[in-house]
Amino acid sequence: MIERFYLKEYLSFKEVELDLKSGLVVFTGPSGSGKSILINSILSSLGTNSCDAMLCESTVAWELNTDDAGIEPDDVYIFKHIKKEKSRYFINNQSISKKAMSNLTSGYLRHLSLRDFSDFENENLLSILDNRLDKKNHNATGLRDEYGKIFLEHKRVRKELLSIEEEQRKIVELKEFAAYEIKKIEDINPKISEDSELLEIKKELSRKEKVLKSLSQANAIFEHEHNVFNALDLLNTDNSFFSDSMNELRAIMESAEERFSMLDEINVEDVLNRIEELSELKRRYGSIEDAIKYKEQKILELAKYENIEITKGDLEAKETTLSKKVKDLASRLSELRRSEIDSFNSDLNRYLKELYLRDAKVEINDTDFGLFGKDEISIRLHATDLQKVSTGEFNRLRLAILALKSEFMSRGGGVLMLDEIDANLSGEESMSVAKVLKQLSKHFQIFVISHQPQLTSMGDQHFLVYKNGNDSYARELSFDDRVDEIARIISGESITQEAKKFAKELLNLNAK
């Protein structure tokens, strides 16, 4: 529930703070006093709407799954919408996007002033029907969960089988292509780092003649080596340093001559052709390493194509078994639901009668297999499609569906926001709406704006929204204040004793 709401600087409101209770919370007041502004700001504080308030803040006691939003879990959450140059949203002072906040609150907060068809979606209606069956010990929910698990597994296997069948239609082409790609790389048979080695050989070949000529000329130094030794002896100088240097130089030059002599056995054209082959591979695959990986991948694919018939046969057997289970479970579930649909229809029409609405016709029909079975529930109001009924009838029908659903709910159904749901209704119709809302308030915290005494008198908490000059205010009413406010609704600004008497009788009657 929403435990507290605070609003600062929004249109005619300077500052408002409301301590809220569970059950049915009613807002009344003269037209233009700011009731809708207040409701809109509550929705805005929870990310469901937008407003230009400096600050709107709601404190809630909900068990939120905040992991995905990056919000630390807590027993109580404070939602804030702050508007300065731009809107910013916070939960427990942690910044969050409006979309993420809306996603968090959507499971707990519903605004029923909109023409929202979600209550009439097949999933919701089937859930109500299955809960009714559970209450009668038929375990329809357990059967539906088992069906859903098998259905998803069948869907996965079927998708995999279709993929294999598609591959099989292309199998000849795919096998030929894989074999062609493998052969193309194997014919070249590249080795890792081979391209670098060949480029080095190419470089050596290009300078071979020049290097060998230079080495030949440099060898002349060894012809004068003995002269240097003689000179060092005459100078009484140790010649070991010269001997070591000459030996090192001789080793270097002999090694170079040997290396370049070995190149005589290498065909330059062969090297250039090999470099071109490897360059083509690199252009196509990125690198020699990538080409080798690609070849290994194609070898695995080719093995898969060779074994595809075995895989397909296994999947076909599994798909047949799962398909049989899906049909069997769906049939059992459908049989249970059809046994309950007349009772569902009767109880719905009981609520509709209380709400002074025409009878509804509820039918269950076969449809394509889906996550919840093969059943589809349709509702028509006195043979009229729901798209064509009036807004007032539509919203009262939604209340009847919610009331039917609430019979199997524990407390904590979340928050319902209603804006003048009893507008333009007769006294009897308004009282019928009030009674249904009172029942729903056992499971939901309900915020409602009302201009009718019947619904107002049912409230567990009553706030008066009023203006003093250009500024709007809201305050919780005591019993005597409620008598005066309901009397004003009945008789207008000139409150009569008869109106006060009727107001007191309504409050006392609904307090029982």
Side-chain angles (χ1 to χ4, degrees), residues 224-462:
H224 302 285
E225 184 178 359
H226 67 283
N227 293 326
V228 177
F229 279 115
N230 291 333
L232 290 172
D233 286 342
L234 290 171
L235 293 170
N236 294 320
T237 301
D238 183 11
N239 63 18
S240 60
F241 76 93
F242 179 69
S243 178
D244 290 342
S245 297
M246 291 303 289
N247 288 334
E248 184 177 350
L249 178 61
R250 187 177 285 106
I252 290 171
M253 295 180 73
E254 286 175 355
S255 175
E257 287 175 345
E258 183 180 351
R259 187 172 79 251
F260 279 94
S261 295
M262 288 175 62
L263 294 176
D264 291 339
E265 301 174 6
I266 296 175
N267 186 306
V268 177
E269 289 299 321
D270 289 344
V271 171
L272 294 176
N273 290 337
R274 184 64 176 170
I275 289 173
E276 180 58 31
E277 286 178 340
L278 295 175
S279 296
E280 180 61 30
L281 280 183
K282 288 164 68 176
R283 280 194 292 272
R284 184 177 177 87
Y285 303 107
S287 69
I288 289 178
E289 290 86 346
D290 290 336
I292 292 171
K293 287 179 183 177
Y294 180 76
K295 181 191 75 171
E296 291 169 351
Q297 176 190 332
K298 287 300 172 186
I299 289 171
L300 291 174
E301 284 183 16
L302 194 58
K304 175 186 170 186
Y305 299 143
E306 298 294 345
N307 295 322
I308 198 167
E309 287 296 335
I310 298 172
T311 305
K312 181 186 176 186
D314 292 341
L315 282 173
E316 284 177 333
K318 191 172 183 180
E319 192 272 339
T320 300
T321 301
L322 288 171
S323 177
K324 186 176 183 301
K325 286 183 179 179
V326 164
K327 291 176 181 177
D328 178 59
L329 290 169
S331 295
R332 287 165 58 192
L333 192 55
S334 183
E335 186 178 347
L336 279 178
R337 288 167 173 170
R338 290 177 185 277
S339 70
E340 179 63 21
I341 198 67
D342 288 341
S343 175
F344 179 101
N345 192 83
S346 176
D347 287 346
L348 177 62
N349 281 317
R350 172 170 51 82
Y351 282 114
L352 295 181
K353 186 175 181 180
E354 292 178 17
L355 291 166
Y356 291 88
L357 280 176
R358 301 166 291 170
D359 280 353
K361 176 71 172 176
V362 183
E363 293 181 330
I364 186 166
N365 300 297
D366 283 345
T367 187
D368 295 334
F369 288 96
L371 187 57
F372 306 103
K374 60 168 185 164
D375 305 307
E376 183 175 57
I377 296 178
S378 63
I379 298 178
R380 295 170 68 85
L381 192 61
H382 196 61
T384 303
D385 189 271
L386 296 186
Q387 299 280 357
K388 298 178 181 178
V389 302
S390 69
T391 300
E393 288 180 320
F394 180 82
N395 282 330
R396 278 183 283 162
L397 179 57
R398 288 173 74 189
L399 284 184
I401 292 292
L402 282 169
L404 205 60
K405 186 175 184 177
S406 72
E407 292 178 356
F408 309 98
M409 292 174 61
S410 59
R411 192 168 182 83
V415 177
L416 300 179
M417 308 285 283
L418 300 96
D419 192 348
E420 301 186 34
I421 195 167
D422 58 354
N424 303 317
L425 299 182
S426 67
E428 287 182 332
E429 290 171 337
S430 180
M431 181 57 79
S432 71
V433 169
K435 287 178 178 178
V436 173
L437 287 176
K438 189 67 175 178
Q439 177 181 322
L440 285 172
S441 69
K442 297 174 184 177
H443 309 282
F444 298 89
Q445 184 185 34
I446 301 176
F447 293 82
V448 61
I449 294 173
S450 180
H451 291 287
Q452 297 276 21
Q454 291 83 0
L455 177 51
T456 303
S457 66
M458 289 278 192
D460 297 299
Q461 192 174 23
H462 184 172

Side-chain angles (χ1 to χ4, degrees), residues 71-244:
I71 302 296
E72 291 293 325
D74 210 331
D75 295 330
V76 173
Y77 296 92
I78 300 174
F79 288 73
K80 290 182 184 179
H81 173 207
I82 298 172
K83 181 69 179 288
K84 289 184 181 178
E85 291 83 10
K86 62 179 182 178
S87 290
R88 297 186 66 192
Y89 296 85
F90 299 86
I91 299 178
N92 289 357
N93 293 321
Q94 291 182 251
S95 180
I96 190 172
S97 70
K98 180 183 178 183
K99 182 178 180 180
M101 181 184 281
S102 178
N103 288 339
L104 279 175
T105 61
S106 61
Y108 295 87
L109 177 66
R110 301 183 60 199
H111 187 197
L112 264 66
S113 68
L114 306 173
R115 198 175 177 90
D116 178 8
F117 283 84
S118 60
D119 289 305
F120 303 102
E121 288 178 355
N122 197 46
E123 178 184 348
N124 183 61
L125 296 175
L126 288 175
S127 176
I128 296 172
L129 191 62
D130 292 343
N131 284 331
R132 292 170 64 90
L133 287 162
D134 288 346
K135 190 177 181 181
K136 297 176 181 179
N137 297 317
H138 290 300
N139 194 27
T141 301
L143 184 60
R144 185 176 72 178
D145 290 344
E146 182 185 359
Y147 164 85
K149 182 180 177 182
I150 299 297
F151 173 81
L152 289 175
E153 176 65 6
H154 175 259
K155 185 177 180 181
R156 184 192 67 78
V157 170
R158 183 65 186 154
K159 182 179 179 181
E160 193 174 341
L161 184 58
L162 289 173
S163 176
I164 282 183
E165 288 174 348
E166 180 65 25
E167 282 186 4
Q168 197 174 32
R169 281 191 286 272
K170 303 175 182 177
I171 198 73
V172 174
E173 181 182 339
L174 290 170
K175 284 173 69 175
E176 288 178 354
F177 178 73
Y180 170 77
E181 292 285 282
I182 292 167
K183 185 176 184 303
K184 185 165 60 177
I185 297 172
E186 284 184 341
D187 285 348
I188 296 174
N189 194 23
K191 305 292 188 297
I192 292 175
S193 300
E194 182 186 359
D195 55 337
S196 301
E197 294 170 3
L198 286 171
L199 287 171
E200 186 61 31
I201 291 172
K202 178 186 175 185
K203 183 179 176 182
E204 295 280 85
L205 285 169
S206 68
R207 62 195 186 100
K208 173 186 172 185
E209 185 177 342
K210 187 175 181 180
V211 170
L212 289 175
K213 181 180 179 182
S214 178
L215 286 173
S216 176
Q217 293 171 344
N219 277 327
I221 192 173
F222 300 112
E223 295 175 6
H224 302 285
E225 184 178 359
H226 67 283
N227 293 326
V228 177
F229 279 115
N230 291 333
L232 290 172
D233 286 342
L234 290 171
L235 293 170
N236 294 320
T237 301
D238 183 11
N239 63 18
S240 60
F241 76 93
F242 179 69
S243 178
D244 290 342

Side-chain angles (χ1 to χ4, degrees), residues 54-72:
M54 179 183 290
L55 170 64
C56 45
E57 176 181 295
S58 289
T59 302
V60 306
W62 292 336
E63 293 182 5
L64 297 174
N65 181 10
T66 57
D67 291 343
D68 292 341
I71 302 296
E72 291 293 325

